[in-house]
Amino acid sequence: YAVAFALSHFLVFFQNIFRMLFLPIISSRYAQNDREGISFLFKKSQNWVFGASLPLALLFIRFSKEILSLIYGKEYLLGALPLTLLILGFIIYLYFGLNYNFLTLHKKTKFIFKINFLISIVNIILNILFIQIWGITGAAISTSLSLILQNLIFQILEKLNILITQFMSLNMVMSQILL
């Protein structure tokens, strides 16, 4: 499992590169209150991250047995299915992965902490249940489901934050008009 996790986690490499490149730009746009620019940059960077990661993910999925055998030896071939499942989880994570940064930018770190804590508990419970049934494949399923759930929650919070921000802006405009 550790080998499969390490290989699948390599996909996050591209996200980390884009995070380092785009966050300073996004932060300056935030300081200028350029919401449209921030939204555009987040969408573009998510597309770049996903586009850069997807070919590598597909190669890992298609040649999982060959990669494991070449790098670690034939005794690690049992990790091919867990590797594939983890890659699927990380691909979804990468597709939505910058939502975390969006929430951080909007100072929602308490929400992030609470969600991460909740997801950790969910992951532990799923591991206890799934490992007994499916072994290392169960661990891969648990981790992938936890990654997907975490990023779906982050996505929902991001959308809610945008709606709340737009509503607040509309209220401010309306109050200015009424004054």
Side-chain angles (χ1 to χ4, degrees):
Y1 176 79
V3 169
F5 184 83
L7 282 174
S8 62
H9 195 263
F10 179 71
L11 295 174
V12 179
F13 172 76
F14 295 109
Q15 185 183 54
N16 290 337
I17 289 172
F18 277 91
R19 197 177 277 159
M20 287 188 291
L21 291 172
F22 280 98
L23 280 183
I25 298 167
I26 291 170
S27 294
S28 70
R29 296 281 173 102
Y30 183 78
Q32 298 166 357
N33 203 23
D34 180 9
R35 293 169 203 240
E36 289 179 23
I38 292 170
S39 180
F40 175 79
L41 284 170
F42 266 107
K43 287 176 185 170
K44 280 295 181 189
S45 59
Q46 275 185 293
N47 289 339
W48 277 96
V49 167
F50 190 72
S53 303
L54 188 60
L56 183 60
L58 293 174
L59 282 173
F60 274 22
I61 290 170
R62 170 62 184 95
F63 299 106
S64 58
K65 289 182 181 177
E66 292 82 358
I67 291 169
L68 287 170
S69 179
L70 179 69
I71 296 174
Y72 298 104
K74 292 190 185 294
E75 56 272 5
Y76 286 89
L77 288 177
L78 290 175
L81 179 58
L83 176 61
T84 300
L85 294 169
L86 286 167
I87 287 172
L88 293 173
F90 275 110
I91 281 297
I92 293 169
Y93 167 82
L94 290 172
Y95 184 75
F96 293 111
L98 292 175
N99 293 333
Y100 167 89
N101 298 100
F102 182 87
L103 292 170
T104 302
L105 184 69
H106 287 86
K107 300 177 179 130
K108 303 294 182 196
T109 53
K110 286 183 182 178
F111 284 119
I112 293 169
F113 173 78
K114 290 175 184 176
I115 291 164
N116 285 339
F117 184 76
L118 173 70
I119 295 301
S120 296
I121 292 170
V122 168
N123 191 33
I124 290 168
I125 292 168
L126 290 176
N127 270 311
I128 291 169
L129 297 173
F130 292 173
I131 290 173
Q132 291 179 11
I133 300 168
W134 297 299
I136 63 170
T137 301
I141 292 169
S142 170
T143 300
S144 293
L145 288 175
S146 297
L147 285 170
I148 292 166
L149 180 61
Q150 177 191 42
N151 283 285
L152 286 175
I153 293 170
F154 283 161
Q155 178 73 12
I156 291 166
L157 282 176
E158 176 192 345
K159 296 301 178 198
L160 285 175
N161 190 59
I162 289 170
L163 290 173
I164 290 168
T165 304
Q166 289 172 347
F167 180 74
M168 301 277 284
S169 297
L170 180 64
N171 278 346
M172 289 176 64
V173 168
M174 293 301 285
S175 66
Q176 292 297 322
I177 291 171
L178 292 175
L179 288 175

